[in-house]
Amino acid sequence: MKTQPMIIHHMVKGADLNHHDTLFAGRGAEWLVEAGFIAAASLTQPEHIVCLNIHGMIFTRPVKKGSLLKFETRIVYAGRTSLVAYVRVVFSQTDEFVVEGFLTFIHVIDGKPVPHGITVEPVTPDEYALYEKGKHLKEQGHLSTKKIG
């Protein structure tokens, strides 16, 4: 299946800032996971999705209070029970790149990994590159998932 990107937005408020008055990385991670979860949950039932791994988050610039952030996310790789999401974040006003990351989610029922039947079919060169990166990260970060949650 060809996965469609999903877009969500967040406004950076005072409560989201660290001691340098820029976006607290923990809040950024929360929003990154939320965006990836929305992409994964859009392909199956949300109650069956859990986050297994945040493969990385690389900020390219500080984010100040009042900034509007656009999170574009999509599932780029599907294993038997896993889904790998890619999230790219830009300033909504300027499209300047802020942060990106990959996350692995597991499809579970009663805390046990269960096949989801989802396939990802990349079409463009960019989609193939994300597919290969997602596959590599999933294989590299493979952990035992006998019981999740």
Side-chain angles (χ1 to χ4, degrees), residues 9-25:
H9 296 268
H10 281 283
M11 181 180 78
V12 179
K13 302 178 293 295
D16 303 321
L17 303 179
N18 61 24
H19 58 289
H20 296 287
D21 286 330
T22 59
L23 179 63
F24 172 56

Side-chain angles (χ1 to χ4, degrees), residues 51-95:
C51 184
L52 175 70
N53 194 345
I54 301 172
H55 297 283
M57 238 178 49
I58 301 168
F59 282 90
T60 62
R61 57 186 32 91
V63 179
K64 303 281 187 188
K65 178 178 163 184
S67 297
L68 298 176
L69 298 177
K70 178 171 81 172
F71 291 70
E72 184 172 331
T73 181
R74 70 171 23 176
I75 298 303
V76 296
Y77 177 78
R80 192 174 67 82
T81 63
S82 63
L83 296 167
V84 177
Y86 170 70
V87 183
R88 178 178 168 82
V89 183
V90 299
F91 288 111
S92 296
Q93 307 93 317
T94 63
D95 266 350

